[in-house]
Amino acid sequence: SDVGKYKVDVVAKTIRELNPDVELTVLPRAFQFDDVISDNDPDQDFGENESPPIMDRRLAVFSCVDGMAARADLWKMSRQYAEFWGDTRMSGETGRFLTSVGRKQVDEPDTYTGTLYSDDDPELTRGSCTSRSLNCTAMILAGVIVHQFTLFLRGFPTVEDKMFNIKTSEIFDSAEVPV
């Protein structure tokens, strides 16, 4: 049973069962920028055109956190290094997945930043996380975000922002969502 375990440990175990040769860095705690540059001097200043040596490898970030503040922090810390960014969000019967491909400069405009909102906004945080459909929504999102990552690895375009409702069998661009 996976009850009581960190999500990242459960996912890492599953990934390693599928491919024991995969290299993973698992962080069962709050992400810190030092986590990606731990082999270096933490006080080292990387210039605009430099990146920490660990970033010479391909970096994929999957944001599966519960709060918007955590998403915003993770995006801010990793956007200029991540080649693939995958985010999943859910509320009851609805799920949303977002991807961003390619490293983004800190001052570069991007569409993902516009999807972030305050954790305290009651209009945007409505929905029940105790819905009976919650497990189904989570499994669908997991499959979809892995599929998007697979598309990225194969050089195919990914879907930037989609939403679905399993109760009504609707799939739509998030911009088309009636509020």
Side-chain angles (χ1 to χ4, degrees):
S1 171
D2 296 327
V3 175
K5 296 180 182 175
Y6 287 109
K7 293 177 203 175
V8 294
D9 290 333
V10 173
V11 171
K13 178 183 166 215
T14 303
I15 290 171
R16 287 184 178 117
E17 287 171 356
L18 294 170
N19 182 354
D21 297 326
V22 73
E23 185 178 329
L24 298 173
T25 301
V26 179
L27 306 171
R29 58 181 167 66
F31 177 84
Q32 301 292 320
F33 186 70
D34 290 344
D35 291 326
V36 294
I37 61 170
S38 59
D39 295 338
N40 305 299
D41 176 0
D43 297 323
Q44 184 175 353
D45 182 32
F46 295 99
E48 281 185 34
N49 297 319
E50 293 183 75
S51 63
I54 195 169
M55 295 307 172
D56 292 336
R57 293 185 263 165
R58 296 183 82 181
L59 177 67
V61 176
F62 295 88
S63 172
C64 303
V65 296
D66 294 330
M68 277 297 144
R71 279 185 177 86
D73 289 344
L74 189 56
W75 176 245
K76 192 183 328 178
M77 286 187 279
S78 62
R79 66 183 276 167
Q80 62 187 354
Y81 304 110
E83 289 186 51
F84 176 87
W85 171 269
D87 183 11
T88 59
R89 305 172 186 179
M90 60 188 215
S91 179
E93 290 87 7
T94 61
R96 182 176 185 181
F97 64 95
L98 303 102
T99 65
S100 179
V101 174
R103 297 174 181 180
K104 308 288 187 246
Q105 296 305 313
V106 174
D107 58 352
E108 179 183 349
D110 66 273
T111 55
Y112 182 79
T113 300
T115 71
L116 299 169
Y117 53 84
S118 168
D119 285 323
D120 301 323
D121 189 333
E123 186 62 26
L124 295 171
T125 56
R126 67 177 182 261
S128 172
C129 281
T130 58
S131 165
R132 289 183 178 176
S133 303
L134 189 67
N135 287 339
C136 294
T137 305
M139 294 302 164
I140 292 168
L141 279 170
V144 167
I145 206 67
V146 167
H147 175 66
Q148 293 302 305
F149 184 55
T150 302
L151 290 173
F152 161 75
L153 290 174
R154 296 179 64 204
F156 292 108
T158 62
V159 175
E160 197 170 87
D161 189 356
K162 284 279 190 195
M163 197 169 213
F164 63 86
N165 185 318
I166 60 174
K167 192 174 187 179
T168 60
S169 299
E170 295 173 292
I171 300 174
F172 38 83
D173 291 327
S174 295
E176 300 170 358
V177 177
V179 180

